[in-house]
Structures are given as structure tokens and as C-alpha cells.
Amino acid sequence: MATTLIKNGKVISTTGVIAQDVLIDGETIVALGQPGHFAAAEAGAERVIDAAGKYVIPGGIDVHTHMELPFGGTFASDTFETGTVAAAYGGTTTILDFAVQRAGEVVQDGLAAWHAKADGNCAIDYGFHMILGDINEDSLKAMDYLVDNEGITSFKLFMAYPGVFYSDDGQILRAMQRAADNGAVIMMHAENGIAIDVLVQQALARGDTEPKHHGLTRPSVLEGEATNRAIVLAGVAGNCPLYIVHMSASEALEAVAEARHEGRNVFAETCPQYLYLTLEETLAKPGFEGAKWVCSPPIRTGHAHHQADLWKGLRMNELACVSTDHCPFCMKDQKELGVGDFSKIPNGIGSVEHRMDLIYQGVVTGDISLTRWVETCCTTPARMFGLFPRKGIIAPGSDADIVVYDPTARQTIGHATAHMNMDHSAWEGVQIAGRVDTVLSRGTVVVEGDAYVGTKGHGRYLQRGLTQYLV
Ligand code: DUC
Ligand code: ZN
Ligand code: ZN
């Protein structure tokens, strides 16, 4: 017996927009049919959702979040509980967060600590990537172990943050060789951290201490250089799959586009902040306010063409996914650590709640199509990180992670109405055409209009397979 019927909506997939009803049994989608096709089942359904005039899309998948990340002497302010509720409000039904191996730590211990943070606390399903902050014989072996036994098939390395998460080129090459062998994806934070640290010290010595110097000391060419170097190293390592995270710069996009043109398994994501915000309007605000937007890579100048290039990259599949790099910090006691020294401002912006809405604005403006919205925010993230077809698609047999989206609604983003554990919003006042109406996670309604109706601990850990996106 069906438990839920979603009727009269337009189902969006990567291939088109079709008027279809969706039948759900328990946690699983069982059938799609023409409008009215399930009239007989409707009478016995526990719940009928009328999606007339609305879009019916796969639940959003945000493959880049940092709940409770230790960073810059503090912790990202969303817990798995608060962050996953906020995600659900915004139509995201799966997150992939980054478990952390710190320098000197055993990889499996870092992973256990992340499970302890998330277990029993999540509103939606979740999985982990693993940050390798100390590449040595043991952590290289642990990569195989995590792929084979823990459902962790992607590893993030940093070319930035010397002394914290940084890996040198030799370490990167060794981890890439391991990935080429075991099938894992290497995710790269591609900024030349050694050069950036010199620029930061020189700026501080000159007395340039305000938040905007965070952006000015991390020039886009150093993202381009690091991206190119990562691509070269992945080639030398035997062409391991390489995924450049949080891309912000034209120079980096060019390097990825060239590699893809050569048929390489090189992929990238961008984030809403790089598509919409400019250094001049954020980091350069008077006083300390710009600290709200300190993240790395930094928000770029509006005087170059980074944003236009990134939108084009999304259209052309040079950028495969949109994630958030959700890493929230409050101004009070957290961002404030960097008053008088921008290098001490914890890096990060909170956006997990707004990604689906923000990228939908690209549909409204004509920068991307409806199908591309779903592809970059739902379907490709699932395929890229080994979750397809369980996640990322509305099809029989898939988890009933579904968002009913109302394109006629209007809203204004603001801290007062948002649900992330922050004391401000990086998106204050942004007007949105469209709004999440209803959210289902594995067949359970977790958001209904303005109300969160889910439960803590509903979200389950996802063991992932290898990437399903290779060329
Ligand atoms: N960038 C951020 O802005 N925050 C966390 C880590 C990162 O790479
Ligand atoms: Zn990063
Ligand atoms: Zn990140």
C-alpha cells in the first residue's frame, strides 16, 4: 500500500521537465505516472501532497559542509543537529561533511570523532569525505581501508594552510597514487598557501590588517597556479580522479576546462558566494563587517570576470556541482578573533540553508536551465560521490528524498528567519524568487511550509561507493 502520493507537479530531472505523479511506499519511490494515473492508490494513501503549479525535484545534495570544524582556534558554529535542520529547511536532504585527520592523528581516530559528532543527531542523511592533514605510510594505508570498509571514497587535501592542513607536492603525489589505485576521488583545496603566507605577513607588516586584505593577499592567479599543479600531479600519479573544491577564479576554471578538453577525469565545484558576491560589496565594507565574508578561496573582485566565467562553466559542465563549503562562524567571539589581524579571522560562510534557492535564481535570470539546476545541485553530486541512484534522482527504487518547490513564492533571506546557528547572515536582504514548500527525507515529511517537522536522528550515515562520474 502506498504511503504518500505527490500529484499534479512537474518532475524535473537532468533530461527534462515532465508532468508526473510520484508514488512512495515507506522510504522508497515506487512509481511515476501520468497525472491521475494513481487515482486508485490515492484513496488508500496516508498522505497526498498536491504539487499543482510546483516543481518536484530530487532532494538537494550538498557535498561540501563543515559542521563543528575546528578552525582558527574555534569551531564552526553549526552542530550536525542545527546544520542538518537548516539544510532540510532549504531543500537539501543529504550532506557530505569532511571528517578530519589532524597532524599526528590516526585517520581512523579522526573518523571515529566525526561519527561521534553526527551519530543520532542528524535530520537528514549524511556521509563523510576524509580530510588528510598528515600524509604518511599509515594514512596512505588508511585510504584503502576507508574505501574498502567505511564507505568513504573521497579524500580532501590542502595546498593551502601551511602548518595546519597543508600537504606538500610529494605528499599529494603519494596520496594521488593511492587514489589512482583504489579508485577514490582526490578533492583539492587549490590555493598556493606558501606564497599566500608570504603576502599575508607582508600585508600585516605594512599595517594592512582589515578584512579586505584577506582577499587581496590570496590573488586568483595563486588559485589558478595551484589548480594547474594539482592537475599535473594527478596526471603524473596515473590519472586519479581529481575534484577541485570551491572554485572561485577564472584562472582555475581555465585549467580545469583544458584538462577536461583533453579527456581527463578532472572535475570541479563552485559555491554560491563565488557566483553572486564581490569583494567590493563584502570584504571591503568599512570597519570589521567584512569579516562576515572571510572564506578561502576569497570572494573575488567584481572588476574581473570570474562570476560570468563561473556561470558559463556551470552551463558547460566545466563545473559539475554547486556545494556551499558551509562553515559558519558567529561574529561575536569567533570572527572577532581577527579584529586588528585579518589572518586570525576564522575562514567560512554559512549557506547550507540557501543553496537550492540561490542557484534557482540562476534559472530565473536565464544563466542556467531548470534541468541544469537539478543536475548541479542534486544529480551530479550523487553520481560524483557514489550515491546514485539511491540519491539524486526521482525514480523507482530510489530513496524518497524529494523537494516540492514553489516557483511563484517570494522571500527575502535574513538572519531573523534563517535557521543556521549564526548571529548574522552573509545573505542578508537577498531577494529570492521561489521557495521550498515541502521536503521529504526517505519518505518522511521533514519540512512543511515554514515548519520543520522532522526528528533528530532520522538522518542515517551513508556508506558510499566509488565515483560514478568518470569519463
Ligand atoms: N575554507 C573555508 O572558507 N573554511 C573552511 C576551510 C576552507 O577551506
Ligand atoms: Zn577548502
Ligand atoms: Zn571546505
Side-chain angles (χ1 to χ4, degrees), residues 272-282 293 299-302 307 349 426-427 430:
Q273 54 269 36
Y274 306 121
L275 291 164
Y276 288 111
L277 306 179
T278 66
L279 179 144
E280 291 76 15
E281 292 161 342
T282 58
W293 295 277
I299 290 166
R300 302 293 178 191
T301 174
Q307 287 184 357
I349 287 181
W427 301 95
V430 171

Side-chain angles (χ1 to χ4, degrees), residues 291-319:
K292 290 176 183 169
W293 295 277
V294 164
C295 61
S296 294
I299 290 166
R300 302 293 178 191
T301 174
H303 299 307
H305 37 82
H306 301 295
Q307 287 184 357
D309 288 347
L310 292 175
W311 280 111
K312 181 160 80 78
L314 277 180
R315 285 193 293 278
M316 303 286 290
N317 206 30
E318 289 156 359
L319 290 165

Side-chain angles (χ1 to χ4, degrees), residues 64 66 156 246 325:
H64 192 150
H66 297 286
K156 185 179 180 191
H246 47 47
D325 196 8

Side-chain angles (χ1 to χ4, degrees), residues 152-167:
I152 294 180
T153 53
S154 41
F155 298 88
K156 185 179 180 191
L157 312 180
F158 288 77
M159 301 169 108
Y161 303 127
V164 189
F165 295 132
Y166 175 82
S167 295

Side-chain angles (χ1 to χ4, degrees), residues 161-340:
Y161 303 127
V164 189
F165 295 132
Y166 175 82
S167 295
D168 67 29
D169 288 355
Q171 291 173 310
I172 289 169
L173 183 64
R174 295 186 75 200
M176 285 176 162
Q177 287 170 334
R178 214 26 102 110
D181 193 47
N182 67 26
V185 173
I186 293 294
M187 306 174 78
M188 189 63 77
H189 181 128
E191 287 186 291
N192 184 328
I194 301 287
I196 286 168
D197 270 11
V198 171
L199 298 178
V200 168
Q201 291 316 316
Q202 290 171 345
L204 292 173
R206 280 195 307 271
D208 290 337
T209 61
E210 305 91 353
K212 78 169 174 198
H213 295 287
H214 171 79
L216 299 178
T217 54
R218 306 181 85 94
S220 58
V221 286
L222 292 183
E223 187 182 336
E225 183 278 326
T227 302
N228 187 59
R229 185 156 34 101
I231 291 168
V232 171
L233 289 170
V236 172
N239 275 317
C240 73
L242 174 66
Y243 179 94
I244 307 292
V245 293
H246 47 47
M247 184 173 285
S248 73
S250 302
E251 296 90 332
L253 184 65
E254 221 169 280
V256 165
E258 195 181 312
R260 292 183 56 71
H261 190 69
E262 288 166 8
R264 297 273 307 277
N265 278 310
V266 173
F267 314 102
E269 67 177 17
T270 190
C271 311
Q273 54 269 36
Y274 306 121
L275 291 164
Y276 288 111
L277 306 179
T278 66
L279 179 144
E280 291 76 15
E281 292 161 342
T282 58
L283 289 170
K285 278 193 191 286
F288 191 64
E289 199 187 347
K292 290 176 183 169
W293 295 277
V294 164
C295 61
S296 294
I299 290 166
R300 302 293 178 191
T301 174
H303 299 307
H305 37 82
H306 301 295
Q307 287 184 357
D309 288 347
L310 292 175
W311 280 111
K312 181 160 80 78
L314 277 180
R315 285 193 293 278
M316 303 286 290
N317 206 30
E318 289 156 359
L319 290 165
C321 303
V322 181
S323 71
T324 54
D325 196 8
H326 177 76
C327 193
F329 296 101
C330 293
M331 285 294 266
K332 188 166 163 26
D333 296 339
Q334 296 201 299
K335 294 280 185 180
E336 279 173 0
L337 293 167
V339 172

